[in-house]
Amino acid sequence: MSNSQVAIPLSKRDKMLVVVGSCIFMFFMAGNGTALAISQKFLLEKFGGLEYFSIATILISLGTTIMTPIGGALGIIFGRRNLMVVSGLVAFITTVAVVYATNIYVYLFLIIANGLAKGAFTATPYILMSLINERKDIPKSMGLLASSVSAGTLVASLLSGVFNDMGQTELGIILTSVTVLIGIVFIYMGLPNAKSEVKVKLDLVGMTLLTITMSAFVLAFNFGSSLGWLSPQILAGFAVLVVFGILLVNYEAKVEKAGGTPVITTSLFKNKEYVAILIVGVTLYFYQVVMMNYGTLAAMDILGANATVASTLTIPRTIVTLVLPTLVGAWVSKKKSNSWLAIAIGSFLLLVSFAPLLFISNTMSIVVFFVAFTITGISESFRAVSVLPAAQETLDEAQIATGTSTVSFVNTLAPVLSATFSGAIFNAANGDTVLGFRNIVIGTLIVSAIGLVIVMLVIRPAQMKRYKNN
């Protein structure tokens, strides 16, 4: 697809419906996840299932992680409109069922189903933005999606807090989630349901191998610190991860070679620039667990901030990510070379935000943390409108769906990796919170610096060469 063409031509009205519908889906995705996370304690307490809090949290992320790459293939086979309508309805129905679950087994089944439903459409709004827009306009649309995610998180946080205090937890979650029904209507009205012109078989074997591989990945990394990295269960988990990961790659390569529609398009990983963007995407997501989880902990345990103050650390960041992505997206759209520059700025700003935290002590002002959190919001705004469009630019039209789904899939793994490594580093400090937090900050700075180096040495030269040739 050239810069002046679109893969799915739409009238002005239909394009607006699809853009708004996609934004509502992302609002729902973020709001639903936030509402369930904040309210899970209250939901589990209803039937005495609080001891399952940890495993329930893991299962929520597991369902979405598994289904994200599969959703790209399903959209090709059944049509993206059908995929969004059906998976959106299932996501809403399972949300309502979750909040009224009466025992832990039903609850766990429903949150897995809810995660799978959301994972099915997670990448689709991003895919659609690349298919209904000219290349130059894609970053602006990505900015709208990023702002929608921030809005969903903010609204869900406020509603969930109010309704939890009122003892109406169920109502708070449902009010946040009912928005997806509006998104479904918009998508149904504006988006034609284009299916693959060639009869495509569902890659059931690939889906099964991916499910086993991702389950082993998430469970082994999540329980490694609590059960012990050398425990039989964790070693078995890593063995399953390696064996089934190899089987997955080999099988998907055969499916692709035979002209099928694999869940994971292995040929994408022969694209040096695409792989570089995947790695940089991980480095730009890595900080989130550190800042949100350990940053909040450090603010309370080291700086002595109370829970109320600590809970407000993310507010300036959220305000920034509500507004800035759209503005940055418009800037990126104006000039091709702004693409790599935006990714570089996002990486550099993470270094700026975390560097002062190396000097943390009980005399540090809480203002430093507010500033650091806010700068990560600026970094996030640059990342949100640059990384995925840059990855899509390296793909041809036939690879857009699976390529975009793979980027989203890899990004969902970044928080798991971050939580695992940060937890190991923090625990190695043997209870010294200051030392543990400083070591985590050092690790985050190293990861962010690696991302910046890759941008300058791989992504920038590749983009400049392509722009020169075009």
Side-chain angles (χ1 to χ4, degrees):
M1 183 174 68
S2 72
N3 195 54
S4 60
Q5 295 177 328
V6 295
I8 303 179
L10 297 176
S11 67
K12 187 175 181 180
R13 168 189 172 275
D14 287 346
K15 181 178 178 180
M16 180 61 68
L17 287 171
V18 173
V19 170
V20 174
S22 296
C23 288
I24 294 174
F25 263 82
M26 297 314 298
F27 178 97
F28 163 78
M29 181 74 183
N32 181 265
T34 300
L36 288 175
I38 291 175
S39 305
Q40 184 166 247
K41 172 180 179 292
F42 300 94
L43 295 174
L44 291 172
E45 283 178 339
K46 291 190 305 179
F47 45 80
L50 198 56
E51 63 186 290
Y52 293 91
F53 185 92
S54 178
I55 186 64
T57 301
I58 292 170
L59 291 179
I60 289 174
S61 63
L62 180 61
T64 303
T65 300
I66 289 172
M67 202 63 183
T68 296
I70 296 174
L74 293 178
I76 296 173
I77 296 171
F78 299 110
R80 294 185 182 90
R81 186 182 70 183
N82 285 349
L83 176 67
M84 294 186 76
V85 170
V86 174
S87 60
L89 283 173
V90 173
F92 178 73
I93 292 169
T94 52
T95 296
V96 175
V98 162
V99 301
Y100 291 111
T102 56
N103 68 71
I104 188 61
Y105 302 107
V106 173
Y107 181 86
L108 294 178
F109 170 79
L110 288 170
I111 61 172
I112 293 174
N114 182 257
L116 291 171
K118 289 185 291 190
F121 66 73
T122 295
T124 305
Y126 298 104
I127 295 171
L128 288 176
M129 293 307 101
S130 68
L131 296 178
I132 68 173
N133 287 293
E134 296 179 17
R135 289 282 192 192
K136 63 182 180 62
D137 294 326
I138 292 175
K140 289 189 289 187
S141 298
M142 295 298 179
L144 292 173
L145 295 182
S147 295
S148 301
V149 169
S150 297
T153 301
L154 178 61
V155 171
S157 298
L158 296 174
L159 283 180
S160 297
V162 170
F163 282 98
N164 284 337
D165 288 340
M166 293 170 57
Q168 298 290 332
T169 297
E170 299 85 356
L171 185 57
I173 296 173
I174 292 173
L175 284 176
T176 303
S177 303
V178 74
T179 52
V180 74
L181 300 180
I182 302 172
I184 288 172
V185 172
F186 278 40
I187 291 295
Y188 186 83
M189 292 174 59
L191 183 66
N193 192 55
K195 301 179 184 179
S196 173
E197 297 179 358
V198 181
K199 188 175 181 180
V200 180
K201 290 178 60 178
L202 195 61
D203 184 12
L204 294 176
V205 175
M207 291 170 61
T208 302
L209 291 173
L210 177 68
T211 299
I212 296 173
T213 302
M214 286 301 99
S215 298
F217 178 92
V218 172
L219 294 174
F221 275 104
N222 271 284
F223 287 111
S225 58
S226 59
L227 296 178
W229 294 105
L230 296 179
S231 66
Q233 301 97 314
I234 299 304
L235 291 177
F238 282 123
V240 171
L241 172 61
V242 172
V243 172
F244 279 85
I246 294 172
L247 290 174
L248 173 65
V249 172
N250 289 335
Y251 181 80
E252 294 298 87
K254 291 179 181 178
V255 171
E256 185 178 2
K257 187 176 181 179
T261 304
V263 175
I264 302 292
T265 306
T266 55
S267 63
L268 291 173
F269 298 97
K270 297 178 181 179
N271 183 332
K272 179 181 176 182
E273 184 182 355
Y274 179 82
V275 172
I277 294 170
L278 284 182
I279 295 172
V280 171
V282 171
T283 67
L284 286 168
Y285 267 101
F286 188 90
Y287 81 93
Q288 291 186 357
V289 169
V290 177
M291 187 62 80
M292 303 305 176
N293 294 21
Y294 291 95
T296 303
L297 176 67
M300 292 187 290
D301 287 2
I302 301 175
L303 305 190
N306 58 41
T308 301
V309 172
S311 66
T312 64
L313 287 172
T314 60
I315 292 179
R317 168 193 158 87
T318 302
I319 294 172
V320 167
T321 54
L322 276 171
V323 179
L324 192 57
T326 303
L327 300 176
V328 176
W331 171 73
V332 173
S333 298
K334 288 182 179 179
K335 190 177 179 182
K336 290 182 177 181
S337 60
N338 287 346
S339 176
W340 73 264
L341 185 56
I343 304 175
I345 291 173
S347 298
F348 177 73
L349 287 174
L350 291 182
L351 298 176
V352 173
S353 64
F354 276 91
L357 302 184
L358 285 172
F359 307 99
I360 190 169
S361 70
N362 56 12
T363 60
M364 177 177 280
S365 171
I366 191 68
V367 173
V368 176
F369 271 64
F370 274 103
V371 173
F373 271 69
T374 304
I375 293 175
T376 64
I378 302 173
S379 169
E380 177 67 16
S381 300
F382 279 88
R383 180 210 63 79
V385 302
S386 59
V387 172
L388 189 51
Q392 291 174 335
E393 194 173 278
T394 69
L395 309 173
D396 57 42
E397 186 178 328
Q399 297 175 315
I400 286 291
T402 54
T404 301
S405 297
T406 301
V407 174
S408 300
F409 168 60
V410 171
N411 288 344
T412 63
L413 300 182
V416 179
L417 291 171
S418 177
T420 299
F421 291 118
S422 297
I425 292 171
F426 189 78
N427 293 335
N430 296 318
D432 188 334
T433 306
V434 174
L435 177 62
F437 184 70
R438 281 179 180 167
N439 289 342
I440 291 176
V441 169
I442 292 172
T444 306
L445 287 169
I446 292 172
V447 170
S448 300
I450 290 172
L452 182 57
V453 170
I454 293 175
V455 173
M456 302 307 295
L457 297 184
V458 181
I459 298 175
R460 179 184 178 277
Q463 285 194 1
M464 298 306 291
K465 180 180 179 180
R466 184 166 55 254
Y467 301 151
K468 184 177 180 180
N469 290 340
N470 290 340

